[in-house]
């Protein structure tokens, strides 16, 4: 970085009298005027940069330059503090280009010899101008170098990213190839399974057709279920009811008679000791033979009558129970007959359906 000590010391060397000398010039020499105009443009760089955005030429009035010189003592400290980071020309590229083309090129270009011959204080200002322009140019060159280095780094990063993207693309292509191969294998397996399933279905259809053919042959050769049912003997429910009633009555009567005989034998066995004791008493006491005999003869007919009435009652109960059992049996037989008739109807209906489905067979030849 260039040092600005010389230019700064030169600005400090300008006295107020030298500045007043420049300010009193109403028609200064061209090199002095042009040098002061450049100083005015630099110190108002921001305003003139905005003007150059809308026009291509700047006109500097000498009165504006004179007003600048009247405030010179206030401007010198700011000019001395300007460096490469705070210079007002850093944000004015159009103005720098305008100064270089207008004031440092052509037949009236500012040079140290021309300005020195016209005014020594103006030559000091020219040194500050050239140092400022050089300083800003160096700073911009550094910025360009840094920008170039940053751009190179970005380019390298982009190249690395492109290489990574290319590798990822290659990996993706390989994975895609693997997936396609796996998909083809899966499709082949699926197709093989489909063909096997089709063959299995065809074989199953053939087996079903053979089974249906066998059933039809058996149906034509075997007698119909309805015919078998028709050959079954009919059941006479009335006869069955009478038989069941008589059988139940006989069994119940026989059972009641057996029970009565057992009870009578038990009573007779119980009555024999009493009768023996009465006979012994008749022999011992002859005064009461007729009274004892009458009492014994009066008790025996009464016992027989009770036994007969109980037997009649039991027989009547047995007949009633047999009759109710016969009725229940008749109801059961009726239900069985209804079920049998329903099965016969179903068999006949099934026979009609089979006959409608099967083709008419030729009548068998009589043997």
């Amino acid at each position: 970085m260039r040092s600005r000590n010389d230019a700064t010391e030169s600005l400090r060397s300008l006295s107020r009298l030298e500045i007043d000398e420049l300010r009193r010039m109403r028609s200064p020499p061209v090199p002095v005027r042009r040098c002061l105009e450049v100083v005015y443009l630099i110190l108002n760089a921001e305003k003139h940069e905005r003007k150059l955005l809308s026009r291509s030429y700047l006109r500097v009035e000498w009165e504006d330059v004179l007003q600048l010189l009247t405030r010179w003592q206030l401007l010198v400290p700011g000019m001395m503090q300007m460096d490469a980071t705070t210079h007002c020309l850093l944000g004015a590229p159009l103005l720098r280009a305008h100064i270089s083309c207008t004031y440092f090129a052509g037949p009236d270009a500012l040079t140290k010899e021309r300005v020195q011959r016209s005014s020594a204080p103006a030559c000091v200002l020219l040194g500050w101008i050239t140092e400022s322009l050089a300083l800003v140019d160096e700073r911009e060159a550094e910025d360009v170098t840094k920008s170039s280095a940053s751009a190179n780094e970005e380019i390298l990063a982009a190249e690395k990213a492109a290489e990574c993207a290319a590798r990822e693309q290659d990996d993706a292509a390989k994975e895609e190839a693997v997936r396609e191969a796996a998909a083809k294998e899966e499709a082949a397996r699926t197709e093989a399974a489909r063909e096997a399933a089709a063959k299995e279905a065809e074989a199953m259809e053939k087996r079903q057709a053979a089974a249906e053919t066998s059933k039809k042959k058996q149906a034509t050769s075997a007698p119909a279920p309805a015919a078998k049912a028709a050959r079954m003997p009919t059941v006479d429910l009335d006869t069955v009811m009478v038989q069941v009633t008589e059988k139940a009555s006989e069994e119940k009567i026989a059972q009641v008679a057996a029970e009565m005989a057992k009870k009578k034998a038990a009573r007779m066995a119980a009555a024999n000791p009493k009768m023996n004791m009465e006979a012994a008493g008749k022999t011992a006491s002859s005064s009461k033979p007729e009274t004892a005999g009458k009492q014994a003869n009066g008790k025996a007919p009464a016992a027989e009558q009770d036994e007969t009435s109980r037997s009649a009652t039991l027989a009547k109960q047995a007949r009633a129970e047999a009759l109710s059992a016969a009725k229940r049996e008749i109801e059961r037989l009726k239900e069985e007959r209804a079920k049998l008739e329903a099965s016969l109807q179903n068999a006949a209906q099934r026979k009609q359906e089979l006959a409608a489905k099967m083709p008419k067979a030729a009548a068998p030849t009589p043997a």
Side-chain angles (χ1 to χ4, degrees):
M1 184 69 65
R2 294 176 60 118
S3 175
R4 300 197 63 215
N5 292 331
D6 296 339
T8 302
E9 293 298 329
S10 299
L11 287 176
R12 287 179 179 176
S13 65
L14 289 176
S15 64
R16 185 173 182 179
L17 294 176
E18 292 175 337
I19 298 301
D20 290 340
E21 180 184 352
L22 294 174
R23 188 174 63 246
R24 284 194 297 268
M25 292 181 181
R26 296 298 176 183
S27 296
V30 174
V32 175
R33 180 187 177 97
R34 289 169 63 83
C35 181
L36 293 176
E37 287 179 357
V38 173
V39 172
Y40 172 77
L41 290 174
I42 292 175
L43 294 178
N44 297 278
E46 184 177 357
K47 179 177 71 173
H48 294 100
E49 180 72 16
R50 288 196 301 269
K51 289 182 179 180
L52 286 173
L53 291 174
S54 58
R55 66 183 74 174
S56 60
Y57 179 76
L58 287 177
R59 180 181 178 83
V60 179
E61 299 294 338
W62 180 245
E63 288 76 9
D64 297 333
V65 176
L66 292 179
Q67 290 180 2
L68 175 68
L69 293 177
T70 58
R71 296 181 290 111
W72 183 255
Q73 297 299 328
L74 300 176
L75 297 176
V76 171
M79 295 170 64
M80 295 176 65
Q81 292 176 1
M82 289 182 184
D83 56 10
T85 58
T86 61
H87 206 286
C88 54
L89 287 176
L90 288 174
L94 296 178
L95 180 61
R96 291 201 310 273
H98 174 73
I99 292 172
S100 298
C101 296
T102 305
Y103 294 95
F104 290 93
D108 295 333
L110 292 173
T111 61
K112 186 176 181 180
E113 291 78 10
R114 290 181 179 179
V115 178
Q116 182 69 34
R117 287 195 300 268
S118 300
S119 173
C123 186
V124 173
L125 294 177
L126 179 64
W128 177 82
I129 292 171
T130 54
E131 290 292 336
S132 296
L133 293 176
L135 182 68
V136 173
D137 290 340
E138 288 180 1
R139 176 57 187 270
E140 285 193 347
E142 290 180 358
D143 293 340
V144 169
T145 303
K146 292 179 180 179
S147 300
S148 178
S150 177
N152 292 332
E153 291 178 357
E154 291 180 357
I155 291 172
L156 292 175
E159 290 177 354
K160 291 181 179 180
E163 292 178 358
C164 294
R167 287 195 296 270
E168 291 178 357
Q169 187 174 3
D170 293 339
D171 295 340
K174 292 178 181 179
E175 291 179 358
E176 184 66 23
V178 172
R179 285 196 295 270
E180 288 180 358
K184 289 180 179 179
E185 292 179 358
E186 184 66 22
R189 288 195 296 269
T190 304
E191 186 64 24
R194 189 182 293 111
E195 291 178 357
K199 291 180 180 179
E200 183 65 22
E202 185 178 357
M204 187 178 293
E205 289 178 357
K206 289 181 180 180
R207 289 195 295 270
Q208 289 179 355
E212 290 179 358
T213 304
S214 176
K215 287 181 180 179
K216 289 180 180 180
K217 289 181 180 180
Q218 291 178 2
T220 53
S221 60
K228 290 183 179 181
R231 289 197 295 271
M232 293 177 63
T234 58
V235 179
D236 190 358
L237 294 180
D238 297 333
T239 304
V240 171
M241 183 178 67
V242 173
Q243 292 176 358
V244 170
T245 303
E246 290 178 354
K247 185 177 180 180
S249 298
E250 290 176 358
E251 291 177 355
K252 193 67 176 178
I253 291 169
Q255 183 179 359
V256 171
E259 291 178 357
M260 289 175 62
K262 289 180 180 180
K263 292 179 180 180
K264 186 175 182 181
R267 284 194 298 271
M268 290 295 292
N272 282 332
K274 187 176 181 181
M275 291 175 66
N276 294 332
M277 290 175 65
E278 288 178 355
K282 186 177 180 180
T283 305
S285 178
S286 58
S287 62
K288 299 180 181 180
E290 293 180 358
T291 304
K294 288 180 180 180
Q295 290 176 356
N297 292 330
K299 289 181 180 180
E304 290 180 358
Q305 289 177 1
D306 293 338
E307 188 67 25
T308 302
S309 63
R310 284 196 297 272
S311 299
T313 302
L314 292 175
K316 187 177 180 180
Q317 291 178 356
R319 284 194 297 271
E321 292 178 359
L323 182 59
S324 62
K327 288 181 179 180
R328 289 194 298 271
E329 185 67 20
I330 288 169
E331 293 296 330
R332 187 182 65 78
L333 292 173
K334 285 182 179 181
E335 292 178 358
E336 290 183 357
R337 182 171 67 179
K339 292 180 180 179
L340 183 59
E341 289 177 355
S343 63
L344 290 175
Q345 291 178 1
N346 293 332
Q349 186 177 0
R350 180 62 180 169
K351 180 181 179 182
Q352 291 177 0
E353 291 177 357
L354 291 174
K357 290 181 180 180
M358 293 172 55
K360 293 184 179 179
T365 304

